[in-house]
């Protein structure tokens, strides 16, 4: 008795090519994701990270000097008026009067230049200024306070909506 084996149908000949097509789609999607990842945020926050790393002990000393001052900064965001307010206090909790304050807003997940914020002294230890945000979301506030030759720098992350 002889068993007849049917000839290859058209559908069977395409099955290996379906596997090739499936792998090609996976490779194309992964390649696109890699392209977007490499072309977006680099992950570097400072312009010269190597130099900062080489002078790390200087950075630690500056942070310790800042901590010995005992100054405190309490930022508040007023979304209804797009207003940033800072309350500055010294070690004892008294208002830090006569300080000069500079603030830059940095978007941590995007390559865009920092936004400078012009702050004016409102009253004892309080400074405020208007900010035109190009986008809502997480922002790093790079705050520098100077008074009587002392310099206090701090970065705080805030969600500005």
């Amino acid at each position: 008795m002889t068993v007849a084996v049917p000839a290859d149908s058209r559908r069977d000949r395409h099955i290996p090519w379906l596997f090739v097509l499936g792998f090609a789609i996976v490779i194309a999607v992964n390649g696109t994701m890699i392209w977007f990842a490499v072309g977006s945020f680099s992950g570097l926050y400072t312009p010269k990270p190597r130099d900062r790393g080489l002078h790390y002990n200087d950075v630690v000393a500056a942070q310790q000097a800042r901590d010995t001052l005992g100054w405190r900064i309490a930022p508040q965001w007023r979304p209804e008026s797009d207003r940033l307010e800072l309350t500055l206090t010294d070690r004892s909790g008294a208002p830090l009067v006569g300080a000069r304050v500079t603030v830059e807003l940095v978007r941590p997940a995007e390559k865009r230049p920092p936004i400078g914020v012009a702050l004016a002294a409102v009253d004892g230890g309080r400074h405020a200024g208007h900010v035109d945000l190009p986008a809502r979301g997480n922002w790093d506030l790079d705050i520098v306070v100077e008074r009587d030759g002392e310099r206090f720098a701090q970065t705080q992350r805030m969600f500005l909506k």
Side-chain angles (χ1 to χ4, degrees):
M1 177 165 185
T2 318
V3 176
V5 178
D8 289 339
S9 68
R10 290 182 141 194
R11 188 175 358 152
D12 292 344
R13 288 189 308 211
H14 296 298
I15 290 176
W17 291 108
L18 290 175
F19 280 104
V20 172
L21 178 65
F23 281 113
I25 290 172
V26 168
I27 291 170
V29 168
N30 285 341
T32 303
M33 292 173 68
I34 290 169
W35 182 73
F36 279 121
V38 170
S40 65
F41 180 59
S42 67
L44 298 178
Y45 187 71
T46 60
K48 295 183 180 180
R50 183 179 182 278
D51 293 341
R52 183 178 165 106
L54 291 175
H55 301 289
Y56 182 71
N57 290 337
D58 298 336
V59 172
V60 170
Q63 288 175 344
Q64 289 173 342
R66 179 196 78 185
D67 292 341
T68 58
L69 288 173
W71 294 353
R72 301 282 181 246
I73 302 172
Q76 288 186 323
W77 175 248
R78 307 278 185 211
E80 63 278 355
S81 60
D82 288 340
R83 186 175 166 97
L84 178 66
E85 296 179 2
L86 297 179
T87 303
L88 311 173
T89 57
D90 63 9
R91 178 182 302 282
S92 65
L96 194 62
V97 181
R100 190 178 61 148
V101 181
T102 57
V103 175
E104 285 187 339
L105 293 173
V106 178
R107 184 88 165 169
E110 292 181 20
K111 293 180 184 177
R112 70 171 62 198
I115 298 171
V117 180
L119 296 179
V122 177
D123 58 16
R126 286 189 45 227
H127 293 75
H130 179 77
V131 181
D132 288 323
L133 287 178
R136 308 297 183 182
N138 284 325
W139 287 86
D140 286 342
L141 279 68
D142 289 340
I143 306 165
V144 177
V145 179
E146 295 177 310
R147 186 181 84 162
D148 299 334
E150 299 286 349
R151 184 176 189 272
F152 184 89
Q154 184 175 0
T155 299
Q156 291 189 11
R157 180 160 296 170
M158 290 185 72
F159 184 82
L160 305 179
K161 50 182 172 174

